[in-house]
Amino acid sequence: MELPRAMERDYGQEYCGAIYSLGDGIYDASMPSPLGEPVPVGPSKRKKCIPPRAVADSRGRAVVLADFHSHPWAPSSLSLVDRLAQTQIWTIRIQFDRACTITKLVPNLGSEQPGEVYLRQRKHWKLVGIIKHEDKDLGLVTAVDD
């Protein structure tokens, strides 16, 4: 969130990147990149960002597992577009906002298992919603009761 324009709210920049592994059990994050045009958010709270499709790492062959996105406003939940099946490239999507709220989407595409939405709380992931198999294309979340 210290990158240029990262915390300028409606006029801020969304940054995207990838989480990957070199097969050694360690996970790395790529450098965040403003892969979309800097546009004002406005009332829709929608930014333009295209997750990276690959990572080049001089240490070896990188296998991408997830994409991550920052949002310059808070609170910022996963938008409907962020949850649509057609926008999922990797097995996990991480989103965080300027207040450090971290959300994880596990879409479980190609599986009967529902998609899962988690919120990071006190160093643990709390399941807060599921995306039923029949709702995966539309990204519709059903809240999970505590």
Side-chain angles (χ1 to χ4, degrees):
M1 295 307 295
E2 295 178 8
L3 293 169
R5 299 176 45 87
M7 295 182 67
E8 293 182 20
R9 301 184 182 161
D10 286 358
Y11 294 94
Q13 175 70 52
E14 178 178 16
Y15 288 87
C16 298
I19 298 172
Y20 66 98
S21 176
L22 300 175
D24 55 4
I26 298 172
Y27 299 95
D28 293 294
S30 71
M31 291 297 296
S33 174
L35 298 173
E37 293 296 319
V39 295
V41 175
S44 70
K45 295 290 187 207
R46 175 82 177 114
K47 286 289 198 178
K48 295 179 181 179
C49 183
I50 302 166
R53 305 277 184 188
V55 172
D57 188 315
S58 62
R59 301 173 298 162
R61 183 177 167 269
V63 176
V64 179
L65 306 165
D67 58 297
F68 66 85
H69 306 267
S70 68
H71 285 172
W73 65 91
S76 177
S77 60
L78 288 164
S79 72
L80 178 59
V81 175
D82 288 331
R83 299 186 315 258
L84 290 173
Q86 68 186 21
T87 63
Q88 305 312 310
I89 299 170
W90 309 109
T91 57
I92 298 172
R93 170 167 281 178
I94 301 290
Q95 179 185 293
F96 54 95
D97 63 25
R98 63 188 293 277
C100 293
T101 303
I102 305 170
T103 307
K104 174 172 71 171
L105 170 64
V106 182
N108 290 320
L109 297 179
S111 166
E112 293 291 321
Q113 183 176 350
E116 302 160 327
V117 179
Y118 294 88
L119 190 60
R120 189 74 174 173
Q121 294 182 338
R122 297 182 193 92
K123 299 184 181 183
H124 297 300
W125 290 109
K126 179 183 178 187
L127 182 66
V128 294
I130 62 167
I131 303 174
K132 297 175 185 174
H133 180 71
E134 60 271 17
D135 295 333
K136 286 182 181 181
D137 286 344
L138 301 174
L140 300 176
V141 175
T142 301
V144 172
D145 296 327
D146 286 330

